[in-house]
Amino acid sequence: MWMRAAMALAALGGWSLTAQAPEKAGVADRPVVEVEGRIAGVGVARGRGMPFIEVRRGDETLKVRLGSMRYLMEQDFRPKAGSEVKVKGFDLGGEMVAITVETAGKTIRLRDEKGWPLWSGRRRGRGGR
């Protein structure tokens, strides 16, 4: 039903029903930075269910958003408080969205350089997983 309505509106208003995906994710407009420190904590953001780590460096603690819990489990990624960590990601001013995380001799890649999550099926074939 909604498809017929959309097609009728497209015909009347000259809309195009072919949507083009942006070339990069919204976070990709932010600077890419690298930080090193110790994992102060591991948690899951309320409401979104997205896991994160807190990276302590000096007197500062930085929240780093990781990605899909399912993807982290598939990659056997289990960050531990107290472990040294190196993170490359998009700087959101006070927190980060991780591209890669290296800890305990293991590196996990979470997003491509354009910011697209590697666990997202919609980007496969365009630089995704």
Side-chain angles (χ1 to χ4, degrees), residues 19-94:
Q20 297 219 358
E23 288 300 312
K24 59 185 178 178
V27 293
D29 289 332
R30 305 306 296 251
V32 173
V33 296
E34 289 188 17
V35 298
E36 292 184 45
R38 290 205 175 271
I39 299 175
V42 179
V44 177
R46 288 187 178 164
R48 288 192 237 163
M50 180 166 295
F52 64 88
I53 57 174
E54 294 174 329
V55 177
R56 184 103 174 131
R57 42 185 202 157
D59 293 336
E60 177 185 43
T61 300
L62 180 66
K63 182 176 179 179
V64 179
R65 296 187 214 164
L66 299 174
S68 158
M69 180 68 81
R70 178 191 55 79
Y71 182 75
L72 296 173
M73 291 171 63
E74 287 173 356
Q75 303 301 312
D76 195 31
F77 183 71
R78 297 177 183 157
K80 306 260 188 287
S83 299
E84 290 186 26
V85 66
K86 182 176 180 179
V87 180
K88 177 180 177 183
F90 299 101
D91 182 4
L92 302 182

